[in-house]
Amino acid sequence: MRAVTKSKHQAVGVDIGGTGVKAALVDVRTGELLSDRVKLPTPEGGEPDAIRDAVVELVDRLEAPEGTPIGVTFPAIVRHGRTMSAANVSKAWIGLEAERLFEQALGRDIHFVNDADAAGFAEDHYGAAKDAAGLVIMTTLGTGIGGAFIYNGVLIPNAELGHLEIDGHDAESRASNRAREREELSWEAWAERLQRYYTHLEFLFSPDLFVVGGGVSKSSELFLPLLTLDTPIVPAKLRNNAGIIGAAALARGV
């Protein structure tokens, strides 16, 4: 672990996912990691107490200076500190006062936010949408489809863009990367579904920029050029660190 000194520009970001929980200390001026990224597997079953304990262990490992703000992401709709849904974790999270659960365990206030919202905020401030004006829509193509709205640098939370109904289907059931893999779609066939999805988003929201994240964005040159949109569409830049960076930035009030 790299040694760090206390700074008003530092914050800890913790990113909770269905398969892993990871954390790092972040310089919120630049979006760069100031520590090594530490990670634990998401506890089997994804129960609240087990995930809480994993978060505490990771924060302790970072040895951040006392008083450093902490941001925590979670794969759920987050309203007033409660988790109102649960993706790839225990259904016990639904309706849980999750923010309070983590604050009591960590002994301090935290900033608690949806994982896609944190990633979108990070891309807007430090990544592919840095300095973009107007409405940026971030979508993550993975197990499902996550979404985030950022308007002139301000996060509009809980955009459940994967659950838009298109042609009688939940969009993510046909256009997510999991759907591509499950149905063994060619890039061209998948791009046809993405075209329908992004055209619908474009019609509904008239964004100024689309940013596409998720692990498949590493192969963006195989499918993004196949799309025909009025809105520019670019791959995300921050990859697996986006949630950590966004959580830290929001915790510090960037």
Side-chain angles (χ1 to χ4, degrees):
M1 191 67 60
R2 285 176 281 174
V4 293
T5 57
K6 186 173 182 179
S7 165
K8 64 181 180 180
H9 303 297
Q10 295 175 6
V12 170
V14 181
D15 189 13
I16 299 169
T19 58
V21 184
K22 51 188 185 289
L25 188 66
V26 178
D27 184 333
V28 300
R29 293 170 299 183
T30 64
E32 295 177 351
L33 302 192
L34 294 171
S35 71
D36 297 330
R37 189 175 71 176
V38 293
K39 184 175 181 179
L40 288 170
T42 301
E44 187 173 353
E47 294 295 335
D49 287 355
I51 290 180
R52 173 203 62 197
D53 292 346
V55 169
V56 171
E57 179 178 340
L58 291 179
V59 171
D60 286 346
R61 277 197 213 172
L62 290 174
E63 299 179 348
E66 187 175 351
T68 301
I70 298 175
V72 178
T73 82
F74 197 80
I77 297 168
V78 176
R79 297 189 64 190
H80 308 296
R82 287 181 181 268
T83 41
M84 306 307 294
S85 61
N88 303 309
V89 290
S90 168
K91 300 304 180 186
W93 288 96
I94 298 174
L96 185 70
E97 291 189 1
E99 186 172 48
R100 180 182 296 177
L101 177 77
F102 290 115
E103 287 181 338
Q104 289 177 341
L106 292 166
R108 70 182 93 176
D109 291 342
I110 66 166
H111 187 95
F112 191 59
V113 62
N114 169 268
D115 56 350
D117 284 345
F121 189 83
E123 289 291 344
D124 184 76
H125 282 66
Y126 310 104
K130 185 179 179 182
D131 301 323
L135 177 61
V136 174
I137 296 181
M138 165 90 167
T139 55
T140 56
L141 304 176
T143 303
I145 298 179
F149 284 2
I150 303 93
Y151 183 71
N152 287 335
V154 178
L155 175 65
I156 304 168
N158 295 317
E160 288 291 308
L161 299 179
H163 297 294
L164 288 173
E165 184 177 307
I166 300 177
D167 300 330
H169 300 275
D170 238 22
E172 68 180 18
S173 71
R174 291 179 52 78
S176 67
N177 191 48
R178 172 182 276 181
R180 179 186 69 84
E181 294 173 336
R182 182 182 65 242
E183 299 182 42
E184 299 182 345
L185 298 174
S186 67
W187 293 108
E188 291 77 12
W190 189 46
E192 290 180 9
R193 298 187 183 187
L194 293 176
Q195 178 72 50
R196 182 77 181 93
Y197 175 64
Y198 285 109
T199 298
H200 191 57
L201 289 182
E202 197 172 50
F203 172 73
L204 290 177
F205 302 113
S206 300
D208 296 283
L209 179 67
F210 285 120
V211 178
V212 179
V216 74
S217 66
K218 292 183 290 187
S219 303
S220 62
E221 73 281 359
L222 298 176
F223 63 93
L224 289 189
L226 302 177
L227 305 181
T228 302
L229 300 164
D230 292 329
T231 306
I233 185 165
V234 298
K237 288 185 177 180
L238 302 176
R239 311 290 178 162
N240 289 333
N241 289 335
I244 289 173
I245 295 167
L250 288 163
R252 188 48 96 169
V254 169

